Amino acid sequence: MKTILILEDNAREMERLVKIVREQGTQNEVICAVNLEQAYHMAMEKSIDLFLLDIILDPRTSGDASGMKFADHIREVERYHFTPIIFITGLEDPSLYAYSDVQCYSYIEKPYDTKQLSELIKETLMIPTDSSASDRVYYRRDGILLKLCKEDIVYIENGRSGRVIHTTADERYLPYKPVKEILKELDSDDFVQCNRFVIVNRNYVETIDSVNRYVTFKNRTDSVEIGLTYKKNFLRRVFNG
């Protein structure tokens, strides 16, 4: 059973959203909130698996973005760091703020297509939220939800133009994300930052040249630099765990 919280002030829209969510499974619990206070209270009382948030709760107030405000605060709660959020909005282009600042899973613009939203909710509810998912990471590429086993990641290069996940089988090219956030998503002691832009899976380390400051990997010909300021911690983490 999954628990979905809907934050929507319009009664007709709320009824429509509840119906769409119910179609994903009658066993799912749907929690309805019409304002921020209700939403905060319910999120603290329950364990939410998906947030459906209307961005504008008070259209009479110029510049209202109450749904964004709620998302900002809910991301500060540890158990909701990575809980999927779908924004429902009438704004023309909220994607830049939504994705970069609160890491929303997706957004859909009003007037939305019922079938499209239904498929999006169905896709989102398939994301595991229990401990069995701890060995995998999830990401979206070209609108498709993909998963990747952490143990298959050799190292990750990150830069302003994007990030490259080097796996045992291939390379995955994804949008930029701060290294701090990547490490938080990986949530594993196996991954160690070795310079400003690179995270290494210590299980694949073959050799370390501490003098020339570079590391090589098992069954690979590539190598990466060990940053001077990262060297001490990197060596300690790789050798001592």
Side-chain angles (χ1 to χ4, degrees):
M1 184 184 79
K2 297 293 182 83
T3 302
I4 300 93
L5 187 149
I6 303 174
L7 176 57
E8 170 63 70
D9 66 318
N10 184 286
R12 182 173 295 179
E13 285 295 324
M14 176 69 83
E15 183 179 353
R16 185 181 179 192
L17 290 170
V18 169
K19 182 179 179 181
I20 293 172
V21 173
R22 291 288 188 200
E23 290 173 351
Q24 307 304 321
T26 55
Q27 75 279 7
N28 293 327
E29 181 181 8
V30 183
I31 299 174
C32 302
V34 298
N35 56 51
L36 298 184
E37 184 178 356
Q38 284 185 0
Y40 291 141
H41 176 74
M42 293 171 179
M44 294 303 102
E45 288 288 317
K46 300 281 188 174
S47 181
I48 309 300
D49 298 295
L50 168 63
F51 292 97
L52 284 176
L53 308 179
D54 183 13
I55 290 180
I56 301 175
L57 296 179
D58 186 2
R60 297 169 299 179
T61 301
S62 177
D64 177 65
S66 300
M68 288 283 194
K69 181 179 179 181
F70 174 79
D72 280 332
H73 285 288
I74 211 66
R75 282 294 187 234
E76 295 176 1
V77 180
E78 184 174 357
R79 71 175 184 268
Y80 293 134
H81 281 336
F82 304 110
T83 301
I85 293 174
I86 296 176
F87 283 123
I88 301 170
T89 178
L91 299 179
E92 290 184 1
D93 186 16
S95 57
L96 180 61
Y97 177 87
Y99 279 106
S100 62
D101 282 20
V102 297
Q103 305 171 47
C104 91
Y105 180 78
S106 189
Y107 73 95
I108 192 163
E109 296 181 46
K110 296 179 179 179
Y112 54 82
D113 178 77
T114 299
K115 184 177 180 180
Q116 181 184 0
L117 179 57
S118 179
E119 287 298 317
L120 182 58
I121 293 172
K122 180 180 179 180
E123 174 187 290
T124 310
L125 290 176
M126 290 175 64
I127 300 176
T129 55
D130 59 15
S131 58
S132 65
S134 62
D135 63 339
R136 298 183 292 274
V137 289
Y138 292 81
Y139 61 93
R140 286 172 63 88
R141 186 171 63 190
D142 299 327
I144 301 173
L145 180 67
L146 302 171
K147 67 179 178 180
L148 178 62
C149 290
K150 295 179 185 179
E151 65 180 17
D152 292 334
I153 299 173
V154 180
Y155 68 99
I156 301 172
E157 289 182 289
N158 197 39
R160 287 294 174 184
S161 60
R163 57 193 153 122
V164 183
I165 302 178
H166 299 266
T167 76
T168 54
D170 56 18
E171 281 73 44
R172 314 285 177 94
Y173 296 87
L174 300 173
Y176 166 80
K177 180 175 288 188
V179 170
K180 185 177 180 180
E181 291 185 16
I182 297 174
L183 286 169
K184 185 180 291 186
E185 287 183 358
L186 290 168
D187 190 26
S188 170
D189 291 335
D190 288 336
F191 293 92
V192 188
Q193 187 173 357
C194 70
N195 63 50
R196 285 181 60 196
F197 308 106
V198 177
I199 299 169
V200 167
N201 185 339
R202 62 191 180 98
N203 294 317
Y204 287 99
V205 171
E206 179 73 48
T207 62
I208 295 177
D209 187 329
S210 59
V211 177
N212 296 301
R213 293 190 291 109
Y214 69 85
V215 56
T216 64
F217 304 97
K218 298 174 183 177
N219 303 315
R220 298 179 70 97
T221 58
D222 42 346
S223 62
V224 296
E225 179 186 4
I226 303 172
L228 186 61
T229 58
Y230 296 85
K231 178 180 174 180
K232 183 177 180 180
N233 182 64
F234 179 75
L235 295 176
R236 178 182 62 81
R237 291 279 306 280
V238 170
F239 290 120
N240 300 323

